[in-house]
Amino acid sequence: LMGYFGGWVDLIGQRGVEIWQNIPFLYMVIIVAATVQDVTSTSYVDLLLQPIQIIAPSSGKISAVLAGYYYAGGGGGQGYARLTSKLQYRTGGGSWVDIAGTEGTGYEAFRYSGSPTEPGNNESAGVYNAIGTVTGLTAGTYYEVRALAYYDTSAGTNSKPATGVGCTLIAKQVA
């Protein structure tokens, strides 16, 4: 289109291509890795469709950051949702290992009003995060990082599964 129309179309199109080419790779990984789903399990489930791959630098250190939000789901009635998350890593095809210090529980999301026949409303979203660093990795080796979560049932009969779970996972090399 740019070559056919020329002029302003070509000028604006070229600027758009230049901007797209200069978006850092890390931001592209964030955009692609962001996903939204429901977590209805009381045992850990993978939050992303695919783990992030990263090459260990000469320092043998990588860090990972997980951030997200969720709402209280379930049919009718009021209740609370609380999500517990953690990060893991592995070498390609190896066993998953927890990243120390990343397991934590998010803030409560509250669902109010509603009845078994009428949908409730969400008052607030719960937020969660996990930040961790892995050391002692073999330089130049590919590693995978993944995010896991489950919904906490500690609110008893008022516990609701987490719905609309948004997740962003970032893994980066540390010098």
Side-chain angles (χ1 to χ4, degrees):
L1 288 176
M2 294 184 304
Y4 180 78
F5 289 108
W8 284 101
V9 173
D10 183 51
L11 185 64
I12 292 171
Q14 283 296 341
R15 296 304 81 79
V17 169
E18 289 173 3
I19 291 169
W20 180 257
Q21 288 177 333
N22 287 305
I23 295 175
F25 177 73
L26 178 61
Y27 293 122
M28 292 307 300
V29 170
I30 292 169
I31 292 167
V32 171
T35 184
V36 175
Q37 65 178 9
D38 293 345
V39 176
T40 59
S41 175
T42 55
S43 59
Y44 279 110
V45 295
D46 202 336
L47 285 175
L48 300 170
L49 300 177
Q50 183 173 338
I52 291 179
Q53 294 184 348
I54 187 169
I55 299 174
S58 59
S59 67
K61 289 183 189 178
I62 59 171
S63 73
V65 177
L66 170 68
Y69 61 89
Y70 55 93
Y71 295 94
Q78 64 182 22
Y80 298 92
R82 188 179 302 138
L83 201 65
T84 298
S85 61
K86 70 178 177 181
L87 299 173
Q88 292 183 328
Y89 75 98
R90 72 174 181 182
T91 56
S95 297
W96 289 102
V97 178
D98 291 349
I99 298 177
T102 63
E103 185 168 12
T105 302
Y107 296 103
E108 287 182 344
F110 182 64
R111 182 183 179 93
Y112 66 95
S113 74
S115 68
T117 58
E118 148 189 336
N121 297 312
N122 283 300
E123 181 179 276
S124 62
V127 294
Y128 64 96
N129 62 15
I131 301 171
T133 300
V134 182
T135 59
L137 302 177
T138 305
T141 303
Y142 278 94
Y143 289 87
E144 295 179 317
V145 178
R146 72 176 181 176
L148 302 172
Y150 71 89
Y151 90 91
D152 185 353
T153 59
S154 63
T157 57
N158 287 330
S159 291
K160 298 281 185 185
T163 188
V165 178
C167 170
T168 301
L169 175 62
I170 303 168
K172 68 175 188 171
Q173 298 174 333
V174 178

